[in-house]
Amino acid sequence: MSFVRFTSVIVREPFSFRQVFSVRTIFAHGFATHEDTPANVVVPPNAFKLFSREKRGHVGKDDYPDKTAEDITKNLPDKWKGMLKNEKSTYKKMYAEQMVIFNYPVAELPRKPPGPFGLFVKDNYSKVETELIPEAVPREVLSRLSSKWKCLSNAEKEQLKQKHDAMKKEYKQEVMRFWQRLTTEERAFLEEKQGPEMRQLAHERRQILGYPRSPPSPFIIFVQRSTAEGFENTSVVERTKMLGQKWKDMSDEEKEVYFEENRQAHERYNKDVAKWKEKHPEAV
């Protein structure tokens, strides 16, 4: 299946002694990835526009040798009207194919379920909002819900956690079904149209398929190896700050043991990733 897409972008060009910005149209076969095209997704051009953009600059050589580019553009509608149905069908087919992908139901993208507190908020927001009327501003509603959450029993929170776990399990299955039915063209287009969501879904898919975890940094290894001695009455944040200062004061020689452990972990990680890619080439 072949696709044609046109995207207008702003490019800077030197002109005389000043800089001007001009609009250019990129003509590309296939839906390119977000790495080499702008993130803005526009409605695909109709059949006539596809024809015009393809023929513009070529029509004059054969049909209008004495006319300017502007005159040629003005004559394209007449040429289009004089074409046979089978000649127009190529452009109409390309337009129809693009619109199928453009209108892909983005709403069907799997949505990550909320956590236990999020489920509690969803179930009780309207009720609390009604209780606070006429002062039902979102901040006040969430503040009241937060207070109610703190008063919940462990059994009630556990029930919400179990509900979340069940929804997360279904979400993972939905993610895998989504990728299985997604075509290459749909994937490329959605990556441009819904970049962050698609990257999140790709990440979820890799995690489900057991993608190796990236090794911790030298500093994190240092924190993990540090004993709890001297930090009995400190919070996690305070302990991290104290260890951060200790790390900062350490010499390069003292840090080397942690850097070496990190290098070895990265070697194992790279090997594990290579094995994973061999096992799951479709998810790379």
Side-chain angles (χ1 to χ4, degrees):
M1 186 180 293
S2 177
F3 294 92
V4 181
R5 184 168 61 80
F6 300 89
T7 305
S8 293
V9 295
I10 303 298
V11 294
R12 179 180 291 176
E13 294 182 333
F15 179 75
S16 185
F17 295 102
R18 59 192 175 88
Q19 295 286 336
V20 296
F21 290 91
S22 62
V23 178
R24 283 186 175 178
T25 300
I26 295 176
F27 178 80
H29 286 281
F31 287 105
T33 64
H34 63 275
E35 295 177 351
D36 48 24
T37 59
N40 295 330
V41 177
V42 296
V43 178
N46 60 29
F48 170 67
K49 288 183 178 179
L50 289 173
F51 160 77
S52 299
R53 291 174 178 179
E54 181 182 291
K55 297 299 182 181
R56 191 179 292 125
H58 299 285
V59 175
K61 296 178 181 179
D62 302 323
D63 303 328
Y64 307 100
D66 300 325
K67 294 184 180 293
T68 64
E70 184 178 355
D71 292 332
I72 292 172
T73 300
K74 290 179 179 178
N75 281 287
L76 284 174
D78 294 332
K79 187 171 180 65
W80 174 259
K81 290 178 182 178
M83 290 172 62
L84 300 175
K85 286 186 177 181
N86 63 331
E87 293 176 317
K88 293 181 179 180
S89 64
T90 301
Y91 303 99
K92 291 183 177 180
K93 182 180 179 182
M94 285 193 293
Y95 171 66
E97 289 173 342
Q98 290 185 71
M99 287 304 296
V100 168
I101 294 182
F102 183 82
N103 293 323
Y104 184 86
V106 175
E108 291 186 4
L109 290 175
R111 304 296 176 185
K112 195 170 185 178
F117 176 67
L119 291 174
F120 173 75
V121 170
K122 184 178 180 181
D123 293 341
N124 295 276
Y125 191 93
S126 297
K127 180 181 178 181
V128 172
E129 187 178 34
T130 303
E131 293 174 357
L132 292 175
I133 287 177
E135 303 174 2
V137 296
R139 184 176 61 182
E140 293 294 333
V141 175
L142 291 174
S143 178
R144 178 70 64 87
L145 285 167
S146 180
S147 299
K148 286 179 174 291
W149 170 260
K150 292 177 182 178
C151 296
L152 285 183
S153 65
N154 291 334
E156 290 173 313
K157 290 183 178 180
E158 179 61 27
Q159 191 174 14
L160 287 168
K161 183 180 182 301
Q162 291 177 2
K163 182 179 179 181
H164 164 73
D165 292 342
M167 293 175 67
K168 190 172 182 180
K169 183 178 179 180
E170 174 58 30
Y171 166 72
K172 290 181 177 180
Q173 295 174 352
E174 189 179 352
V175 167
M176 297 306 295
R177 290 194 296 267
F178 169 78
W179 283 105
Q180 288 171 359
R181 67 173 181 263
L182 199 64
T183 67
T184 302
E185 291 83 3
E186 290 170 342
R187 175 181 175 179
F189 185 70
L190 284 173
E191 282 177 349
E192 183 177 348
K193 190 175 183 181
Q194 296 288 326
E197 291 83 354
M198 289 296 289
R199 287 192 288 275
Q200 176 64 33
L201 290 174
H203 173 74
E204 293 287 350
R205 182 193 189 192
R206 289 194 296 269
Q207 295 302 110
I208 294 170
L209 294 174
Y211 190 85
R213 293 187 63 180
S214 180
S217 67
F219 172 68
I220 296 300
I221 295 174
F222 162 72
V223 171
Q224 293 172 344
R225 298 289 183 272
S226 300
T227 63
E229 185 177 351
F231 302 103
E232 293 83 358
N233 299 319
T234 59
S235 66
V236 175
V237 175
E238 291 174 336
R239 180 187 178 189
T240 303
K241 287 183 178 179
M242 294 171 68
L243 288 172
Q245 185 59 48
K246 184 177 179 180
W247 173 262
K248 187 176 180 181
D249 295 337
M250 289 170 61
S251 65
D252 292 341
E253 290 76 12
E254 291 174 314
K255 293 179 180 178
E256 179 58 29
V257 62
Y258 304 105
F259 276 94
E260 177 59 27
E261 186 172 343
N262 173 262
R263 283 191 288 269
Q264 293 178 6
H266 264 287
E267 290 178 2
R268 294 191 297 271
Y269 169 74
N270 291 334
K271 291 179 181 178
D272 291 341
V273 169
K275 291 179 181 178
W276 184 90
K277 288 181 177 180
E278 289 180 3
K279 187 176 180 181
H280 304 286
E282 77 288 350
V284 176

